[in-house]
Amino acid sequence: QVQLVESGGGLVQAGGSLRVSCEASERTFSSYTMGWFRQAPGKEREFAAAISTTGYRQRYADSVKGRFTISRDTAKKVVYLQMNSLKPEDTAVYYCAATRKSIYGSDYEYDYWGQGTQVTVSS
C-alpha cells in the first residue's frame, strides 16, 4: 500500500509560479511511475504530467507543456510539479498518483492516489 501526501498548493496570481510536492510512504517508490492529475470545479479529472521510474522520461498534457515540469527525488521519495506562467484555468485540485504502468498509462491504471492540494490562480 502506497500512501501519497501532497503539499504546496495555494493562491497565486496569474503569471506566477508554484511548486507542489507529493511524498510517498512506500520504500519501493522508485518502482512506480508517478503522475500528476488535476480536477477543476465542475470538470472531470484530467492528466497533467507523468514521470518514469528513473526520471528520465516525462509526459505532459498539451495544456501544460512548456510551463510545468515534473521531477522526482528517489532518495526523498518525493515527486514535484513545478508550475510556471500560471493561468486562471490552471485552478484545480492537484492530485499525485502512482502506477506500475508506463508514463502513457491512463488515470484508471493508477493504483494509488493522494488526497489532493488546491491550487488557485487569480486573474
Side-chain angles (χ1 to χ4, degrees):
Q1 185 79 8
V2 179
Q3 293 183 326
L4 303 171
V5 179
E6 299 97 335
S7 62
L11 174 65
V12 63
Q13 288 188 333
S17 298
L18 201 63
R19 188 179 77 166
V20 291
S21 304
C22 172
E23 185 172 358
S25 64
E26 178 58 43
R27 288 178 299 172
T28 59
F29 169 75
S30 61
S31 64
Y32 288 90
T33 292
M34 299 300 296
W36 282 99
F37 295 80
R38 64 186 186 180
Q39 187 167 21
K43 295 187 177 181
E44 293 189 355
R45 184 175 60 198
E46 64 175 8
F47 168 79
I51 188 167
S52 65
T53 55
T54 61
Y56 293 149
R57 293 183 299 148
Q58 302 89 36
R59 180 171 75 100
Y60 297 94
D62 289 342
S63 58
V64 307
K65 197 173 296 182
R67 300 186 299 121
F68 289 12
T69 302
I70 188 171
S71 61
R72 65 191 297 161
D73 185 327
T74 299
K76 295 182 179 179
K77 297 182 291 182
V78 178
V79 60
Y80 303 99
L81 186 67
Q82 176 67 44
M83 303 180 287
N84 299 328
S85 302
L86 282 161
K87 305 174 181 179
E89 51 263 44
D90 294 317
T91 295
V93 177
Y94 282 72
Y95 299 91
C96 73
T99 180
R100 291 191 180 274
K101 302 295 186 180
S102 80
I103 60 173
Y104 301 101
S106 299
D107 60 348
Y108 61 83
E109 295 181 292
Y110 282 75
D111 301 304
Y112 304 102
W113 294 82
Q115 82 290 348
T117 186
Q118 177 70 47
V119 172
T120 302
V121 184
S122 63
S123 57

